[in-house]
Amino acid sequence: MSRFWSKVVHGLTPYTPGEQVRMPGLIKLNTNENPYGPSPKAVAAMQAAVDDDLRRYPDPANLAFKDAVARRLGVRREQVFVGNSSDEVLAHTFHALLKHELPLLCPDISYSFYATYCSLYGITAVQVPLNDRFEIDVEHYNAPCGAIIIANPNAPTGIALSLAQIEALLLAHADQVVVVDEAYVDFGGESASALVDRYDNLLVIQTLSKSHSLAGLRVGFAVGHPDLIAGLERVKNSFNCYPLGQVAQAGAVASLDDVEYAQQTARAVIATRAWLTAEMLALGFEVLPSRANFIFVRHPQHDAVTIAAGLRERAILVRHFKQARIDQFLRISIGTDAECAALVDALKTLLA
């Protein structure tokens, strides 16, 4: 604490990311990283971009990457916004599109960064409770509001809404922006990007951190109506005109264009998720139906904190949340087959 802090700093509760622990033999299943490396084509493109041109500023409009997103999702360049991670895209979205006289609606159990952004930008939010099955119920979003944001699939639950449910939300709130945060959509969800040409109030946000194995590169983007994108560009260009460096742009373009590789690794994660889900059920865990690269589980007879601590002693990290209603759940990222097998073996010992 400093006497030089502005008033807003005193009131902030920063987001707490998952631990980044360095230890030999660690099985790291706590931060939803892809267990497989990025596309070799992306790595080669980034290596080629490390040359004398680094003395120059990168393209501030990120046109090559915007065109890659447009090709991948079947949208137009002017419908694409680019940022340094989807977290930055979200930050600009909260600032540009979600601050209104009426409150923002969001789930009570979701990505906890949303609350941080509301605090940072002075946005009033009303949290809509998940139902008894820990699902987002779009019928509960019928209150007057200035905007809506949801994660789909939701985090940390992993449960996904259908496109029909998203469309119902858009129709019910035609005069409000609806933001759909799709960080995990490539692991079995349905992307609402297919709806952006039909609904001018829809903004879809994605990241290359998960299904493209580029968490270390920090690249995200949004797609939506050109008017929404223009608002985001105005905020971004008042903050940082060069959000993506030259190397990041090169890797991002190559990764998006290597569709086959991304789909291959996503299929591998989905297969391991199915296997791990079956194993956890056999151990007596409740497992929520996930369409993400993690599962959300609890055991009716064993405390979540105790399980997480026991796994940590065995160099296996999972994530525990202290929030009400989910304080007995653990979020477990999908690792390699060998890592998930080691997790199951450790749990068998701990639960015996």
Side-chain angles (χ1 to χ4, degrees):
M1 185 176 296
S2 167
R3 62 191 175 95
F4 299 111
W5 284 5
S6 65
K7 183 178 179 180
V8 68
V9 175
H10 286 278
L12 291 176
T13 302
Y15 172 76
T16 303
E19 291 181 278
Q20 296 289 353
V21 178
R22 305 290 182 184
M23 67 171 67
L26 179 69
I27 296 178
K28 192 169 178 295
L29 305 177
N30 67 322
T31 52
N32 299 342
E33 294 151 330
N34 198 310
Y36 307 104
S39 161
K41 294 179 181 178
V43 174
M46 288 184 282
Q47 290 171 336
V50 180
D51 59 20
D52 185 63
D53 278 349
L54 287 178
R55 63 191 173 87
R56 302 187 183 278
Y57 286 108
D59 173 18
N62 303 283
L63 295 182
F65 182 51
K66 287 182 179 180
D67 288 342
V69 173
R71 288 193 298 273
R72 180 71 182 90
L73 297 182
V75 298
R76 304 185 306 279
R77 177 193 286 176
E78 59 268 28
Q79 294 175 290
V80 182
F81 176 79
V82 174
N84 182 5
S85 78
S86 62
D87 286 335
E88 183 180 79
V89 175
L90 281 164
H92 291 328
T93 299
F94 272 74
H95 203 179
L97 303 175
L98 303 186
K99 185 174 182 177
H100 301 281
E101 291 185 7
L102 290 174
L104 171 71
L105 299 185
C106 59
D108 67 330
I109 297 170
S110 192
Y111 188 24
S112 56
F113 224 140
Y114 299 161
T116 300
Y117 293 134
C118 287
S119 178
L120 179 62
Y121 296 120
I123 298 172
T124 300
V126 172
Q127 295 185 334
V128 181
L130 302 183
N131 65 22
D132 292 341
R133 297 182 298 278
F134 295 97
E135 300 165 334
I136 294 172
D137 191 332
V138 297
E139 293 183 359
H140 293 169
Y141 285 74
N142 55 6
C145 64
I148 293 172
I149 185 168
I150 61 170
N152 190 46
N154 195 21
T157 65
I159 299 175
L161 295 175
S162 67
L163 276 187
Q165 291 170 304
I166 296 291
E167 195 161 11
L169 198 59
L170 291 164
L171 288 168
H173 295 277
D175 294 324
Q176 289 81 38
V177 173
V178 176
V179 177
V180 183
D181 182 1
E182 294 186 342
Y184 304 100
V185 73
D186 291 331
F187 299 104
E190 295 180 276
S191 177
S193 61
L195 302 175
V196 295
D197 281 333
R198 293 161 55 188
Y199 297 95
D200 64 358
N201 61 327
L202 170 63
L203 188 78
V204 178
I205 298 176
Q206 293 191 11
T207 177
L208 269 61
S209 294
K210 313 301 182 184
S211 61
H212 288 267
S213 308
L214 289 172
L217 201 61
R218 315 309 296 134
V219 177
F221 61 89
V223 295
H225 189 277
D227 289 348
L228 298 181
I229 301 305
L232 293 172
E233 294 284 358
R234 287 173 68 88
V235 170
K236 185 266 289 184
N237 290 331
S238 301
F239 175 78
N240 178 11
C241 293
Y242 302 97
L244 290 187
Q246 181 174 305
V247 175
Q249 290 188 44
V253 170
S255 186
L256 269 185
D257 284 342
D258 195 354
V259 176
E260 182 179 352
Y261 184 86
Q263 291 178 342
Q264 172 188 323
T265 57
R267 286 194 296 268
V269 169
I270 290 169
T272 305
R273 183 183 70 202
W275 178 87
L276 182 58
T277 296
E279 292 292 318
M280 298 297 282
L281 290 170
L283 289 172
F285 283 90
E286 175 188 358
V287 185
L288 299 189
S290 175
R291 291 294 179 268
N293 68 336
F294 57 83
I295 56 174
F296 205 49
V297 307
R298 64 180 171 185
H299 200 287
Q301 298 172 330
H302 295 270
D303 176 65
V305 174
T306 302
I307 295 173
L311 290 172
R312 188 184 183 91
E313 291 175 357
R314 292 160 174 79
I316 301 174
L317 294 185
V318 297
R319 187 147 191 201
H320 172 256
F321 295 87
K322 298 178 181 179
Q323 184 178 349
R325 293 185 69 196
I326 59 170
D327 58 351
Q328 284 302 309
F329 277 89
L330 297 173
R331 192 193 68 191
I332 303 174
S333 305
I334 304 302
T336 63
D337 289 346
E339 289 172 334
C340 289
L343 168 71
V344 170
D345 287 343
L347 287 171
K348 287 178 179 177
T349 301
L350 285 171
L351 302 181

